[in-house]
């Protein structure tokens, strides 16, 4: 866990025993228009959001709209990869070198899939952990051609997986496998939230539901389509039929190479209007022209919370979701969380929030639980929630065409499973979260449960409330037992005062005194 004081110097806090042992104490294709220059900030901004968000902003030049939706026919491609989580956990044990290696592998996979989608005339709408959703919008009088392009893209993605079947790393050899589902039909897309705090983009409807359901029926290496695609005249080579689902091995007929218009460039004012879609730390990096985000393995608490159902055919569902999200983003912001996404798929309509990435706090577990309980009380319920804590990969993945700040790891998947296991109105937590919050929560221990993707049964607890903490006594005037660290900080402060800016990173286990040393650093800075 880290606290940034002002990166070049690290002060590591250790307990007494540890101190005694310590020595010495990808490029986007462009089609006409203005070609972005290398380092063009607008390119960085636009790569973090789906194309339909940009179109919506350009149609509303004088405001950043919320609760704005549109409906369109589309083919949705949902691809899910198996194998990243064990690779991530193994490489995490290799430290920074392992994180760098995982970053290269993730970006190679995401970049390849994003390029294939763009080359087929589609666009990646969202990343969800180690999965992605691509959309192929229906063009006038070319519905069948759109379907062929989407299916060819899916088959091309599976063919490209050959290069990821055997991956040699410093932590061993791993392999990735992918399942792909396709669905076609109406799609609802839009924006919701609070423009002054956070906005989320929305994607829901039958096309997405069918694609997610198809992927659930696929096996590794397969592309599965819903029967309605074939009923509409899509000429494909069917390998196997499973009820309404068909495993496809090829597509007949060549679709015309007809890509939709590409938004190569947006002005800086429009780019700035994208800020509410990002965590403030990410938006600030984009404003300053820094394209790099810190890719790392770190402890993160993940919250999955159920949402009011969003239905493409029901305008009232849009209003209900906007009412919920408008309140939810204020709650998440108050607890210092990061609204990662609003997703619709095989887990239903869910809100995903992170506590500990990209900014961490000493009490992220408690913040997440308190936040989750408040979200369950918002109108429109009863909702359900799952909260887990663990070491995960955090970083920027994708390419110049489409990228996102992603959090990938076993605890993310487990939070989704706990959400599904929860009863209406219930918040479930895993053992690592329980161990950090049990002193302050009102909770019941439940029978261990089996969840998909986990060997054995999982211990879990239902949390009903969080008690207020007893105020801690005021800190002593002088910090005791940290003379070496205080001396280091004082020397760095003197260098900063002399005009040489310094960055200090405080690291150490939870409860070891990082907050106290940070407070002492502030006190020293005021005195100097």
């Amino acid at each position: 866990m880290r606290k940034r004081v002002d990166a070049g110097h690290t002060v590591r806090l250790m307990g007494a025993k540890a101190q005694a042992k310590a020595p010495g104490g990808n490029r986007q294709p462009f089609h006409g228009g203005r070609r972005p220059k290398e380092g063009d900030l607008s390119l960085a901004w636009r790569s973090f959001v789906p194309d339909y968000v940009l179109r919506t902003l350009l149609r509303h030049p004088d405001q950043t709209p919320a609760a704005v939706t549109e409906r369109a026919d589309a083919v949705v491609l949902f691809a899910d990869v198996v194998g990243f989580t064990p690779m991530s956990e193994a490489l995490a044990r290799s430290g920074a070198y392992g994180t760098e290696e995982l970053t290269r592998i993730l970006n190679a996979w995401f970049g390849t899939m994003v390029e294939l989608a763009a080359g087929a005339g589609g666009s990646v709408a969202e990343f969800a952990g180690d999965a992605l959703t691509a959309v192929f919008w229906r063009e006038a009088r070319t519905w069948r051609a759109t379907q062929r392009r989407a299916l060819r893209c899916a088959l091309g993605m599976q063919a490209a997986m050959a290069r990821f079947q055997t991956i040699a790393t410093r932590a061993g050899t791993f392999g990735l496998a992918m399942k792909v589902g396709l669905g076609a039909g109406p799609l609802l897309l839009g924006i919701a939230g609070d423009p002054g705090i956070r906005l989320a983009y929305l994607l829901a409807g039958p096309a997405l539901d069918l694609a997610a359901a198809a992927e659930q029926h696929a096996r590794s290496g397969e592309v599965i389509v819903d029967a309605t695609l074939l009923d509409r005249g899509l000429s494909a080579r069917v390998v196997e039929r499973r009820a309404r689902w068909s495993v496809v091995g090829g597509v007949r007929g060549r679709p015309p190479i007809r890509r939709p218009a590409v938004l190569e460039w947006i002005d800086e004012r429009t780019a700035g209007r994208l800020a509410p879609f990002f965590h403030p730390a990410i938006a600030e990096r984009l404003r300053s022209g820094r394209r790099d985000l810190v890719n790392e393995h770190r402890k993160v608490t993940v919250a999955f919370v159920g949402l009011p159902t969003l239905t493409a055919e029901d305008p009232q569902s849009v209003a209900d979701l906007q009412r919920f999200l408008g309140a939810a983003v204020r709650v998440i912001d108050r607890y210092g969380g990061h609204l990662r996404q609003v997703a619709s798929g095989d887990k239903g309509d869910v809100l995903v929030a992170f506590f500990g990435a990209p900014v961490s706090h000493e009490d992220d577990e408690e913040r997440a639980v308190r936040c989750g309980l408040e979200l369950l009380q918002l109108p429109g319920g009863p909702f359900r929630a799952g909260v887990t804590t663990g070491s995960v990969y955090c970083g920027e993945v994708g390419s110049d065409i489409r990228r996102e700040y992603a959090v990938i790891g076993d605890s993310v998947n487990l939070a989704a499973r706990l959400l599904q296991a929860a009863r209406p109105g219930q918040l479930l937590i895993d053992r690592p979260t329980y161990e950090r919050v049990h002193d302050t929560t009102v909770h019941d221990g439940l029978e261990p449960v089996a969840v998909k993707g986990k060997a054995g049964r999982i211990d879990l607890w239902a949390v009903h409330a969080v008690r207020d903490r007893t105020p801690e006594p005021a800190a002593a005037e002088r910090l005791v037992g940290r003379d070496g660290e205080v001396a280091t900080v004082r020397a760095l402060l003197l260098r900063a005062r002399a005009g040489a800016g310094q960055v200090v990173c405080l690291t150490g286990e939870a409860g070891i005194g990082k907050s106290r040393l940070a407070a002492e650093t502030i006190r020293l800075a005021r005195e100097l």
Side-chain angles (χ1 to χ4, degrees), residues 134-192:
V135 178
F136 298 79
W137 305 106
R138 177 177 183 172
E139 299 175 36
R141 298 184 299 280
T142 60
W143 186 221
R144 194 170 299 176
T146 302
Q147 296 174 43
R148 286 201 302 268
R149 285 192 287 108
L151 182 52
R152 281 189 179 277
C153 177
L155 294 169
M157 286 180 171
Q158 284 292 19
M161 287 301 295
R163 62 179 286 207
F164 300 101
Q165 288 178 351
T166 304
I167 304 172
T169 75
R170 68 180 62 241
T173 300
F174 299 88
L176 303 179
M178 184 172 69
K179 303 187 298 178
V180 181
L182 290 174
L187 202 58
L188 180 72
L189 50 142
I191 297 171

Side-chain angles (χ1 to χ4, degrees), residues 2 296-300 356-360 390-394 405:
R2 297 179 178 179
E296 58 187 342
H297 284 85
R298 64 194 299 178
K299 186 182 75 169
V300 174
V359 175
S360 65
S391 177
V392 296
Y393 170 86
C394 307
Y405 180 79

Side-chain angles (χ1 to χ4, degrees), residues 45 146 262 342:
W45 285 97
T146 302
V262 177
V342 172

